[in-house]
Amino acid sequence: QVQLVESGGGLVQPGGSLRLSCEASGGMFSRYALGWYRQAPGKQRDLVASIGRGGSTNYADSVKGRFTISRDNAKNAVYLQMSSLKPEDTAVYYCKANIPLTATQYWGQGTQVTVSS
């Protein structure tokens, strides 16, 4: 079993940067594919970025060129570096871990990101 805890959210001005962290406990971290999702009020939870066990990444079109996902298996952590933030990036951001091709899936509690002047 894996427990995920997000941190790093907060209030930032448009054009600013923020780095989100997700730290895991429970072991076997390197077996998991990882992703960041976000959910704005009244909207569905959407994939923002993902990173596979081999380091492959993919991004939502809305964040390409601005966000970078990375992982550090030695620290049991996944990060989301966010730059050139826009008001439409405002949402609760969630970390997800899953073992590919299985039903094993875990979610963090979320961290609020607010982009506003």
Side-chain angles (χ1 to χ4, degrees), residues 16-114:
S17 298
L18 209 59
R19 190 175 87 146
L20 305 182
S21 298
C22 175
E23 298 183 348
S25 62
M28 297 185 290
F29 188 77
S30 64
R31 296 182 62 186
Y32 290 85
L34 303 162
W36 286 97
Y37 293 70
R38 67 186 182 188
Q39 186 169 26
K43 298 183 178 180
Q44 66 180 354
R45 186 177 298 184
D46 293 326
L47 176 68
V48 176
S50 64
I51 184 166
R53 295 184 294 185
S56 62
T57 60
N58 71 283
Y59 299 89
D61 288 342
S62 59
V63 307
K64 285 181 179 177
R66 300 189 297 121
F67 290 11
T68 301
I69 187 171
S70 62
R71 67 189 295 164
D72 187 338
N73 290 340
K75 296 182 178 180
N76 284 10
V78 60
Y79 308 98
L80 185 68
Q81 178 65 51
M82 305 184 293
S83 300
S84 301
L85 284 162
K86 305 174 181 179
E88 50 263 44
D89 294 319
T90 296
V92 177
Y93 284 70
Y94 298 89
C95 176
K96 189 191 81 171
N98 73 279
I99 301 179
L101 305 180
T102 76
T104 302
Q105 186 178 71
Y106 302 97
W107 289 90
Q109 85 290 344
T111 185
Q112 176 71 47
V113 173
T114 302

